[in-house]
Amino acid sequence: MKRKNSVGLSESMQTILSSLICILIGLFIGFLVLLAINPQGAFRGIITIIENFMTFSKSASRLKYFGTTLVKTAPLILCSLSVCFCYKVGLFNIGAAGQYTIGIATSLYLALAFHMPWYICLLGALIVGAFVGFIIGVLKAYQNVNEVISGIMLNWIILYGTNTLLAKVKQPASPYTFGLESTKAMLPTLGLDKLFGNKYMTIAVPLSILIAVLVWIVLTKTKFGYELRATGYNKNGARYAGMKEKKNIIVTLMIGGALAALGASLLYLTDFEQWATTSSSVPSMGFDGIAATFLGGLHPIGSIFSSYFIEHITLGGSYLDKSLYPSQIADLISATIIYFSAFVLFMKVWYKHHQQMKLEKKQELQKGEEK
């Protein structure tokens, strides 16, 4: 049964309403920015962003670009799950960006340098991402090094390591890595490419959804998940109950690292993007995963919908009329929505406190009437 407060909405409804409020605030601020730049096209502009692929008149084009949105959503779901899984255990995996980057390095290098098949590339990314999480976990468990600090430091180490490694498999006259057309590393499509009319549609999309469901099952329906959540609620209490809190911390960050790295391989093994070896910052996907986690109410299933929404808005902004608005406006609007998504948890806490106060007042009035 879903938990419900004595007064007010269930927790799931609180999450949905909080997320919707944040989305509406973000869109409204985006509209104000458009209005300030060019009032004549502001309304049409915000509608274009919301519509995304629906701006196309032909159904085939709509389906194709809907597929593009889904292709970008798949890695974001995995990054969101990485942050969500760790957060449930009381850990903030800001290192997901670096773990995502090392997933790119591992999967592409195995594909381009060693011509490995796609499943080996996926497995390699998963293992190396878990190893990065292991480093952060050991530092946290045995030396009490904050996972945020070690995660951020590793982000930059991994970035420049990735540039160095992938420089060996880049195009001669370009900073970008080779394409995957002639390799066995391309993810299978299972007919999804023909269904959507989009060659980048692969098993990445259904696989990411399946993993989200599995993460939810592990966290809520298994003894292992219960122990992890117990460690997050009270580390000392978990130790007193006989749980191995150090092991739980390490395993959690390993799983978080594996999820983020796997997300990267699910995008780059579609050949949708190539890595630029001149990159000076880690991909934003890992950081966007933080926003998707909170917008999804810290729930693995919620991460699916919040990840799609963020990518829908981001790609929708690319269809704005560039003669009226600068190309960067799409990033500004999506960043605004992402920023406000951080308030989802705050709004839920405020709502619970507000409802508790109302309940206490009601109980006091009832006691007064009885007297």
Side-chain angles (χ1 to χ4, degrees), residues 69 133 298-299 324 336 365 371:
T69 305
L298 298 170
H299 194 289
L324 297 178
T336 303
L365 288 172
K371 291 180 180 179

Side-chain angles (χ1 to χ4, degrees), residues 19-170:
S19 298
L20 287 175
I21 290 170
C22 292
I23 288 168
L24 291 173
I25 293 172
L27 288 173
F28 178 69
I29 290 179
F31 173 71
L32 292 180
V33 172
L34 293 173
L35 200 63
I37 295 173
N38 190 308
Q40 285 74 25
F43 183 75
R44 181 63 251 174
I46 199 68
I47 294 299
T48 298
I49 291 170
I50 294 171
E51 287 183 337
N52 188 353
F53 54 85
M54 294 300 292
T55 55
F56 293 96
S57 57
K58 294 182 179 179
S59 58
S61 296
R62 291 180 179 181
L63 194 59
K64 177 182 178 180
Y65 289 102
F66 173 50
T68 298
T69 305
L70 291 176
V71 169
K72 290 284 287 181
T73 299
L76 184 55
I77 291 173
L78 271 293
C79 287
S80 177
L81 292 173
S82 172
V83 177
C84 181
F85 193 91
C86 294
Y87 197 88
K88 291 290 186 181
V89 192
L91 301 166
F92 188 42
N93 188 25
I94 202 170
Q99 295 149 14
Y100 180 85
T101 305
I102 208 164
I104 298 170
T106 305
S107 57
L108 286 183
Y109 195 72
L110 286 174
L112 297 172
F114 298 104
H115 308 289
M116 292 292 179
W118 63 271
Y119 50 87
I120 298 296
C121 296
L122 286 180
L123 182 62
L126 189 147
I127 292 171
V128 176
F131 179 71
V132 174
F134 173 79
I135 295 172
I136 299 172
V138 168
L139 291 172
K140 172 69 174 180
Y142 290 98
Q143 298 298 323
N144 200 29
V145 177
N146 191 287
E147 69 276 7
V148 173
I149 295 173
S150 56
I152 290 174
M153 296 296 286
L154 279 172
N155 283 352
W156 293 101
I157 294 170
I158 290 169
L159 171 66
Y160 293 115
T162 297
N163 284 344
T164 302
L165 180 66
L166 294 184
K168 300 177 182 179
V169 290
K170 77 176 186 67

